[in-house]
Amino acid sequence: MSAGPFGFELIRTDGSARLGRMRTAHGSVETPAFMPVATQGTVKSLTPADLTAAGAQIVLANTYHLLLRPGHELVRELGGLHRFMGWDGPILTDSGGFQVFSLSKLRRIGEAGVEFRSHVDGSLRTLSPESAVAIQHALGVDVLHPLDECLAHPATEAETERSLALTVRWLHRAVAAHRSAGASGALFGIVQGGVSHPLRRRAVEETCALGLPGYAIGGLAVGEPKPVLYEITELVAGRLPPDRPRYLMGVGKPTDLVEAVARGVDMFDCVMPTRNGRNGQAFTSDGPLTIGNARFSRDAAPLDPTCPCEACRRFSRAYIRHLFGARELLGYRLLSLHNLTFYLGLMRQMREAIAGGEFGPFRSRFLERYGVEAT
Amino acid sequence: MSAGPFGFELIRTDGSARLGRMRTAHGSVETPAFMPVATQGTVKSLTPADLTAAGAQIVLANTYHLLLRPGHELVRELGGLHRFMGWDGPILTDSGGFQVFSLSKLRRIGEAGVEFRSHVDGSLRTLSPESAVAIQHALGVDVLHPLDECLAHPATEAETERSLALTVRWLHRAVAAHRSAGASGALFGIVQGGVSHPLRRRAVEETCALGLPGYAIGGLAVGEPKPVLYEITELVAGRLPPDRPRYLMGVGKPTDLVEAVARGVDMFDCVMPTRNGRNGQAFTSDGPLTIGNARFSRDAAPLDPTCPCEACRRFSRAYIRHLFGARELLGYRLLSLHNLTFYLGLMRQMREAIAGGEFGPFRSRFLERYGVEAT
């Protein structure tokens, strides 16, 4: 399968933690990497220049959302998603599967694909393995994903097995569609299999048999207990080929990122830094803080004195608390910027720790300072 | 009266239009000037760095809003409003009068002052000529205003005369309070008098008798017909001392700014660029446009090809329309930034036209291109 200029280089390992570099037509990404979520073609409240300032090297956008609004054909007509949203770095899209199963009124799932009602206007839509790939080609993204079925947690072993089999059959169709289109962009595989060890092992085998340029770990961070998240991550990452990037979808909290890097994951995405930011939560090295707390009302200190972001360089906790109390848009923007800066700074620290062979001590120090109760 | 380092220099005139420079402890302001409105200590969705990029040299904040939230004592404790909001340029505050009369449940107005219920928490508050000045001293602003009574339009001649007399008595108390406090900052007078020519003339005389460092024209842009706005502006500005800056409160649309500069006004404030921006209206040299209009859905052009703002440099109308359709925060931010850039650019163009003795032709060209129907 042609992946255009796509490539992955594993630079060094430290235990199971990996330092690497992913190459795309829109530039390189140092891994472990965190991808800010540009759900509808915008990381909420922030510009591409803000993302660069925060340290982002790649962003994620949601195929489902862009399909419904403004529509992938419109984006193609306007030169593709990079030009449309003004971000010239790499873009990764999910397949739309997760949102079909979580946001829309699902009408019918069958061998051919899924039929669902748009959560935007109630219109009836379909998504197939072939159309999901074609939509992502229209968007012109660097990394795309095959349509998969996303089971809710908990699911029985039998349900999980049936679902996994469908996801693998869909993967074969997605790969064929991608190959025959001759489009650029790297199609990753998604490893499903719920919380079942045997099914996860089978999923890795059947997915990796296709020799794809990268692999996502799907179906986690959907409500399972934290030890299960770590256990399945370790099981899957330990079986994926070392020369391909590994992307843990939808994860997670700062401690989850550290624990998953320790288990060999290279890429992450999560709405938490921006969504929690809009809800008044600021991440810091000492754990999260709730800016609305009365103890910050006269606090002249920045959110995090070690943080280089504009929110911390220019404003006090008291001011940002005032912005939230007055429901001012700048408050949402400043905490989104700060939280992404924190997340992306954490990834950089992890990369530096791996490069120096110091990931183990870094992990211990981080977790101790961040606080267990704050996971 | 001591106005600290405050001063105003009239550089040149072109007809009644004036080019000047206002000096404050926080820097100079070239006039004619437009002041972005930082209602609650923030120009909605924008940072101080954005304001500087847009060309702002001074901002306005609302005494009433800051009194209620977060409270002027808290702002004083945190080093004053400049430090609190991260803006180190000049700040002007209104007296709170306008909001007391427009936003709060007014309880009682008397010789002593006004008693009202906070629109934030329903608490009973008072504002007097003395406390209004003291609050603005606590905020530490560069230009402050005396408490005035703001009549609704229309009002009878008798009501207007009674109200004006009260405003003038309050002005004397405000000046005494300001002088005895020995605080820095320049206290402007506010000329009221409704739409009555004799009362406006009396207001100018009685206000200017106090020899204040600047004069505001209040009680306009409250619903009176446009010809009345221009007529009263011309009447008042024509009688104010030429060596003091003249500030037309709450005005206005781009054409209003041009018409008021033509009548000798130096300073303006209005929520229109930011509020209309959040409602999807973009100002351009060819008149305003509504970004939600279907004709922009595939429009790859910027809002205004001649505009230097980040919204116009990086994004298409189609993208910004998508942001508004999806109710994305970035849309509000981009149109706010663009509209302020347009307003501040218009002021710069007017200053250049006056400097070159070309204000008349500029005014004609601007109005013709902008469009009469778009006033």
Side-chain angles (χ1 to χ4, degrees):
Chain A
M1 143 169 300
S2 163
F6 185 88
F8 179 75
E9 178 192 0
L10 182 61
I11 296 170
R12 83 164 278 182
T13 58
D14 182 2
S16 295
R18 295 147 52 92
L19 179 71
R21 184 177 295 113
M22 186 169 82
R23 291 190 320 278
T24 80
H26 289 90
S28 289
V29 178
E30 299 168 276
T31 63
F34 180 82
M35 301 181 281
V37 178
T39 310
Q40 308 191 97
T42 162
V43 176
K44 291 186 191 309
S45 85
L46 301 180
T47 63
D50 292 333
L51 299 177
T52 298
Q57 299 180 358
I58 178 172
V59 301
L60 174 145
N62 289 122
T63 297
Y64 170 86
H65 286 282
L66 293 171
L67 158 68
L68 298 182
R69 191 170 50 193
H72 55 291
E73 290 298 350
L74 186 148
V75 175
R76 189 211 308 260
E77 204 175 301
L78 287 160
L81 186 56
H82 294 86
R83 183 176 300 175
F84 186 62
M85 66 181 285
W87 169 258
D88 54 14
I91 302 178
L92 175 150
T93 40
D94 59 8
S95 68
F98 183 78
Q99 281 78 23
V100 165
F101 292 91
S102 62
L103 282 184
S104 70
K105 297 250 192 293
L106 182 63
R107 296 276 299 182
R108 200 184 39 143
I109 177 164
E111 190 64 31
V114 296
E115 189 179 68
F116 61 96
R117 286 209 179 273
S118 159
H119 79 286
V120 172
D121 62 6
S123 62
L124 199 59
R125 304 294 191 114
T126 59
L127 210 52
S128 69
E130 291 79 12
S131 71
V133 162
I135 291 162
Q136 294 172 85
H137 289 162
L139 298 174
V141 298
D142 301 284
V143 177
L144 52 158
H145 283 86
L147 186 66
D148 57 340
E149 185 183 5
C150 299
L151 276 185
H153 176 85
T156 66
E157 186 90 359
E159 283 171 336
T160 308
E161 183 166 14
R162 177 208 56 74
S163 171
L164 172 61
L166 179 66
T167 288
V168 171
R169 290 195 301 276
W170 282 359
L171 171 62
H172 281 262
R173 288 166 53 190
V175 169
H178 183 57
R179 187 178 295 141
S180 72
S184 68
L187 177 70
F188 278 23
I190 303 179
V191 175
Q192 291 284 355
V195 299
S196 159
H197 287 216
L199 291 177
R200 283 284 176 178
R201 281 193 288 266
R202 185 198 297 180
V204 173
E205 271 176 36
E206 296 181 354
T207 308
C208 295
L210 285 153
L212 298 167
Y215 296 97
I217 307 174
L220 292 177
V222 291
E224 76 285 351
K226 195 70 57 158
V228 174
L229 165 64
Y230 296 160
E231 176 189 301
I232 299 292
T233 298
E234 184 168 340
L235 180 149
V236 173
R239 281 170 169 71
L240 289 171
D243 60 347
R244 297 289 189 268
R246 303 149 176 185
Y247 158 37
L248 181 55
M249 306 180 98
V251 171
K253 296 189 177 181
T255 48
D256 298 335
L257 303 186
V258 174
E259 291 300 336
V261 166
R263 288 163 174 81
V265 172
D266 305 309
M267 298 164 65
F268 303 89
D269 80 286
C270 189
V271 295
M272 195 168 280
T274 42
R275 179 176 294 166
N276 291 24
R278 293 195 307 282
N279 289 326
Q281 186 179 54
F283 291 95
T284 82
S285 303
D286 296 307
L289 58 82
T290 301
I291 197 64
N293 196 302
R295 75 191 160 102
F296 299 126
S297 63
R298 287 159 196 271
D299 190 337
L303 292 170
D304 186 336
T306 65
C307 177
C309 86
E310 188 179 10
C312 290
R313 284 200 325 271
R314 310 257 333 205
F315 306 104
S316 64
R317 291 169 172 174
Y319 180 68
I320 298 176
R321 180 177 187 273
H322 163 64
L323 294 179
F324 271 84
R327 291 178 292 282
E328 281 285 353
L329 294 176
L330 185 58
Y332 311 138
R333 171 178 165 187
L334 292 180
L335 280 203
S336 297
L337 180 68
H338 168 75
N339 285 347
L340 279 180
T341 304
F342 177 82
Y343 264 65
L344 293 160
L346 173 58
M347 304 314 292
R348 185 181 43 71
Q349 290 171 53
M350 287 200 276
R351 290 193 300 266
E352 290 169 358
I354 299 168
E358 296 281 343
F359 184 75
F362 171 83
R363 174 186 177 188
S364 301
R365 277 200 315 276
F366 177 84
L367 296 176
E368 184 177 12
R369 181 169 172 196
Y370 193 81
V372 172
E373 76 283 11
T375 55
Chain B
M1 141 170 300
S2 163
F6 185 89
F8 178 76
E9 178 192 0
L10 183 60
I11 296 170
R12 82 164 278 181
T13 57
D14 182 2
S16 295
R18 297 148 49 92
L19 179 71
R21 186 177 293 112
M22 186 171 82
R23 290 190 320 279
T24 80
H26 289 89
S28 288
V29 178
E30 299 167 276
T31 62
F34 180 81
M35 301 181 281
V37 178
T39 310
Q40 307 191 99
T42 163
V43 175
K44 293 190 190 306
S45 85
L46 301 180
T47 62
D50 292 333
L51 300 177
T52 299
Q57 299 180 0
I58 178 172
V59 302
L60 174 145
N62 290 121
T63 297
Y64 170 87
H65 286 283
L66 294 170
L67 158 67
L68 298 183
R69 189 168 53 192
H72 55 291
E73 289 298 351
L74 185 148
V75 174
R76 189 211 306 263
E77 203 176 301
L78 287 160
L81 186 56
H82 294 85
R83 183 177 299 175
F84 185 61
M85 66 181 284
W87 169 258
D88 54 14
I91 302 178
L92 174 150
T93 39
D94 58 9
S95 68
F98 183 77
Q99 281 78 24
V100 165
F101 292 91
S102 62
L103 282 183
S104 71
K105 298 250 191 294
L106 181 63
R107 297 279 296 181
R108 202 184 36 144
I109 177 164
E111 191 62 32
V114 295
E115 188 178 70
F116 61 96
R117 286 208 180 275
S118 159
H119 79 284
V120 173
D121 62 6
S123 62
L124 199 60
R125 304 294 192 113
T126 60
L127 209 52
S128 69
E130 292 78 12
S131 72
V133 161
I135 290 163
Q136 294 172 85
H137 289 162
L139 298 174
V141 298
D142 301 283
V143 176
L144 51 160
H145 283 86
L147 185 65
D148 56 341
E149 184 183 5
C150 298
L151 275 185
H153 175 84
T156 66
E157 185 92 359
E159 283 172 336
T160 308
E161 183 166 16
R162 178 209 54 75
S163 173
L164 172 60
L166 179 67
T167 288
V168 171
R169 291 194 301 278
W170 281 359
L171 172 62
H172 282 261
R173 287 166 53 191
V175 169
H178 182 57
R179 187 178 294 141
S180 73
S184 68
L187 178 69
F188 279 23
I190 303 179
V191 175
Q192 290 285 356
V195 298
S196 158
H197 287 215
L199 291 177
R200 282 283 175 179
R201 281 193 288 267
R202 183 197 300 178
V204 173
E205 273 176 34
E206 296 181 355
T207 308
C208 295
L210 285 153
L212 298 168
Y215 296 97
I217 307 173
L220 292 176
V222 293
E224 76 285 350
K226 194 72 52 159
V228 174
L229 165 64
Y230 296 161
E231 172 190 303
I232 299 292
T233 297
E234 183 169 339
L235 181 149
V236 174
R239 280 168 169 72
L240 289 171
D243 60 346
R244 296 288 189 270
R246 304 150 176 184
Y247 158 37
L248 181 55
M249 306 180 97
V251 171
K253 295 188 179 182
T255 47
D256 298 335
L257 303 186
V258 174
E259 291 300 337
V261 166
R263 289 162 173 82
V265 172
D266 305 308
M267 297 165 64
F268 302 89
D269 80 285
C270 190
V271 295
M272 195 168 280
T274 43
R275 179 176 293 166
N276 291 24
R278 294 196 307 282
N279 290 326
Q281 186 178 56
F283 292 95
T284 82
S285 303
D286 296 305
L289 59 82
T290 301
I291 197 63
N293 196 301
R295 75 192 160 103
F296 300 125
S297 62
R298 289 159 195 270
D299 190 338
L303 292 171
D304 186 336
T306 64
C307 177
C309 85
E310 189 179 8
C312 290
R313 283 200 325 272
R314 310 258 333 204
F315 306 105
S316 63
R317 292 169 172 173
Y319 180 67
I320 298 176
R321 180 177 187 273
H322 163 64
L323 295 178
F324 271 84
R327 290 178 293 282
E328 281 285 353
L329 295 177
L330 184 59
Y332 311 138
R333 172 178 165 187
L334 291 180
L335 279 204
S336 298
L337 180 68
H338 168 75
N339 285 347
L340 280 179
T341 304
F342 177 82
Y343 265 65
L344 294 160
L346 172 58
M347 303 315 291
R348 185 181 43 70
Q349 290 171 53
M350 287 198 278
R351 291 194 300 267
E352 290 170 357
I354 300 167
E358 297 281 343
F359 184 75
F362 171 83
R363 175 186 176 189
S364 302
R365 276 199 315 275
F366 178 83
L367 295 177
E368 183 177 10
R369 180 169 174 196
Y370 192 81
V372 172
E373 76 284 12
T375 54

